[in-house]
Amino acid sequence: GEFGLPTPVESSELLATKCKYILEKGMKCIYAIGEPLPIREQGIDAVLAYCVEQLTPFKDILDPEKVVLAYEPVWSIGTGVTASPDQAQETHAAIRKWISENVSPACAEGIRIQYGGSANAKNAPELSACADVDGFLVGGASLKPEFAEIVAAIAQAKA
């Protein structure tokens, strides 16, 4: 956990409750979902099922004006390993399709799904070209000069 303290994992239900609370207070939310490597290795159906478990408690509060989703493959966070553009697109498209079928087509079309798995200046142009990648949730690279290149890549691709 953070600062070496044991931090229990919060359930998706608890996170949805917290999200609903902040939305009621006029704030917005970025909700990160993703899978560990053993799930990724089982293929897209397993990845989607894992992500759907995290999304289901949020079904009633997914408002594209107030909630942004961040797909963060857990196996890539802070490792420098990133999902390939094909993997990112496939996963983002599957999440968007699930939202269309289980929330609404309007929500699926309007909601932003950002990629958050070790985005950097080198991979940002290819990831930005993916139709269902709407932006990035940038971690460590946000503290480096290359952050401007990441912003420029997504701005150019989505202009």
Side-chain angles (χ1 to χ4, degrees):
E2 196 168 5
F3 308 112
L5 299 172
T7 306
V9 174
E10 294 182 336
S11 70
S12 297
E13 291 78 11
L14 177 58
L15 293 173
T17 300
K18 288 180 174 185
C19 181
K20 184 176 180 183
Y21 177 81
I22 67 167
L23 294 177
E24 289 170 355
K25 300 301 179 190
M27 298 176 73
K28 297 183 180 187
C29 175
I30 298 175
Y31 179 51
I33 61 173
E35 82 286 353
L37 187 57
I39 300 296
R40 167 53 65 182
E41 290 171 340
Q42 294 174 38
I44 187 62
D45 292 338
V47 170
L48 182 60
Y50 198 87
C51 289
V52 163
E53 287 179 24
Q54 297 163 72
L55 281 172
T56 298
F58 279 74
K59 277 176 50 173
D60 296 334
I61 56 174
L62 285 181
D63 178 343
E65 297 297 318
K66 298 177 182 176
V67 177
V68 173
L69 297 178
Y71 167 63
E72 292 196 278
V74 176
W75 49 270
S76 71
I77 298 170
T79 65
V81 176
T82 194
S84 71
D86 288 342
Q87 287 174 316
Q89 171 56 31
E90 177 182 50
T91 306
H92 282 231
I95 292 167
R96 197 174 305 280
K97 181 178 182 213
W98 183 86
I99 293 169
S100 180
E101 294 170 350
N102 293 276
V103 180
S104 76
C107 182
E109 184 178 326
I111 200 154
R112 285 169 287 167
I113 305 174
Q114 299 180 331
Y115 178 77
S118 295
N120 57 52
K122 184 177 178 184
N123 61 31
E126 272 192 291
L127 288 165
S128 296
C130 297
D132 287 292
V133 173
D134 298 318
F136 300 106
L137 183 63
V138 182
S142 68
L143 303 174
K144 300 176 183 175
E146 73 177 86
F147 182 64
E149 295 173 53
I150 299 168
V151 173
I154 194 72
Q156 181 178 3
K158 303 301 178 181

